[in-house]
Amino acid sequence: MPDTPAAPTAQPTPTEAAALSAEDGKLVVLARGARARVGAVEGAAVRDQDGRTYAAASVALPSLTLTALQLAVASAVAAGASRLEAAVVVTEASTLDGAGHAAVRDLAADAPIHVAAPDGTVLGTVTQ
């Protein structure tokens, strides 16, 4: 696989878990489930313009590497989504990976991207 330049990471702004809407809380649950189901490094979930949700786990194969957020966005696009309302990534990292961030921004310049720990604790939100 050709080397690609590393995308910069984004630092989430601390967010109170109580500040999440019920719909965004559902995304946290879906992302945690996707991660746990396969024991992946990351899990992610997105909600499209029609309220449909898509969850995914990170993929690490010799010929293909995708972050969970990239795969969730790709699943949404493959199902016909043209805009995202919100996204969540569950990870042990304290920052949002640049590739996942860019994938969400391809469909929504202003959608919140919540970063949560594996236990579901929301660490913060990226809004830019």
Side-chain angles (χ1 to χ4, degrees):
M1 183 162 121
D3 288 334
T4 56
T9 59
Q11 185 67 38
T13 302
T15 302
E16 292 294 324
L20 288 186
S21 69
E23 290 300 311
D24 287 357
K26 177 182 171 184
L27 292 178
V28 173
V29 172
L30 291 171
R32 287 184 71 209
R35 180 181 183 268
R37 230 180 338 275
V38 296
V41 173
E42 292 181 340
V46 298
R47 185 176 59 252
D48 73 9
Q49 75 277 359
D50 296 324
R52 297 175 296 188
T53 56
Y54 307 87
S58 52
V59 174
L61 300 173
S63 64
L64 177 66
T65 301
L66 293 171
T67 69
L69 204 44
Q70 285 178 308
L71 186 52
V73 170
S75 295
V77 171
S82 59
R83 178 153 171 71
L84 296 179
E85 292 181 350
V88 167
V89 63
V90 173
T91 180
E92 292 182 15
S94 60
T95 58
L96 174 63
D97 70 273
H101 181 243
V104 171
R105 293 298 171 242
D106 284 344
L107 293 185
D110 58 350
I113 306 170
H114 306 293
V115 179
D119 68 358
T121 303
V122 177
L123 304 173
T125 302
V126 175
T127 56
Q128 296 179 13

